[in-house]
Amino acid sequence: MPLRLRRQPDLVCQQIVELVTDYLDGALPRADRGRFERHLAGCPQCTAYLAQMRETIRLTGRLRVADLSPAMRADFGELYRGWRAEAT
Amino acid sequence: MTDPDAELLSRFRAGDEQAFVELVARHHTTMLRLAQSFVASRAIAEEVAQDAWLAALRGIGGFAGRSTFRTWLFAILANRARTTGMREHRTTPLESPEPAVDPARFGAGGMWTSPPVDWTDAAAERLDAQALATALQSALDGLPPRQRQVVLLRDVDGLSSEEVCEVLELSEANQRVLLHRGRSHLRTTLEANFGAR
Ligand SMILES: [Zn+2]
């Protein structure tokens, strides 16, 4: 008697969009990862969606932080000297 | 775990003021933004961030390097900001679950009926880069506080999920749910503003 593997039903697009973050974080169980990738292989829309999420993350990572003003640098230098004086 | 701040950290502990100011320059904006997500005003957020730096200086002897410096630093900040926010009776409500994509865009079988509209070409065009960054920044500022905190630390500042969980005292699963909602919001904004229909 051959072992029968019960195959999980395929994922639909609406489920894919909820699994994207888990997928990108490597947090999907192996079986789900396989189902996710099988869906992508046959679905250009979800492939585009995943690419958009990756692009969103990339752009968010480029929202660089403002530099510290010279006045604030001076303030923090003073904070540091105060701490040194207090520590010794 | 390698700590990107290790070198500046050891220099400032050895008495190098400039190294300390560099560390502040590296992390202060994130701390301000994080503080702002907990408290009512920019002025209070600035106070909280300054206090956190002083607390970090005074407590540096107790930093044993079990986590990265920034995790330790941001946790000090988050704790103070949370306490201040509670004193202001400013609560961050649990956000109700919401789908990543408007359910109206899928048919009965869960397949796309209104598929994602491409905007990634706009991102590649230099002309649109500034407009994109501006739209993204205001979408980020408009996220509910807990989503904003996670997106800020993970995607803007580049912390690992482990670091974020430690700073914000979240479980890995909750952290990922918040990140997912936040990122999905940002993608929707970009699509709405820059999608070429
Ligand atoms: Zn699909």
Side-chain angles (χ1 to χ4, degrees), chain B residues 51-65:
Chain B
D51 285 354
W53 278 112
L54 188 57
L57 279 172
R58 288 182 171 150
I60 195 65
F63 172 66

Side-chain angles (χ1 to χ4, degrees), chain A residues 12-14 16 39 43-47, chain B residues 111-112:
Chain A
V12 297
C13 307
Q14 202 167 2
I16 292 291
H39 178 98
C43 181
Q45 287 95 342
C46 285
T47 302
Chain B
M111 301 308 209
W112 291 100

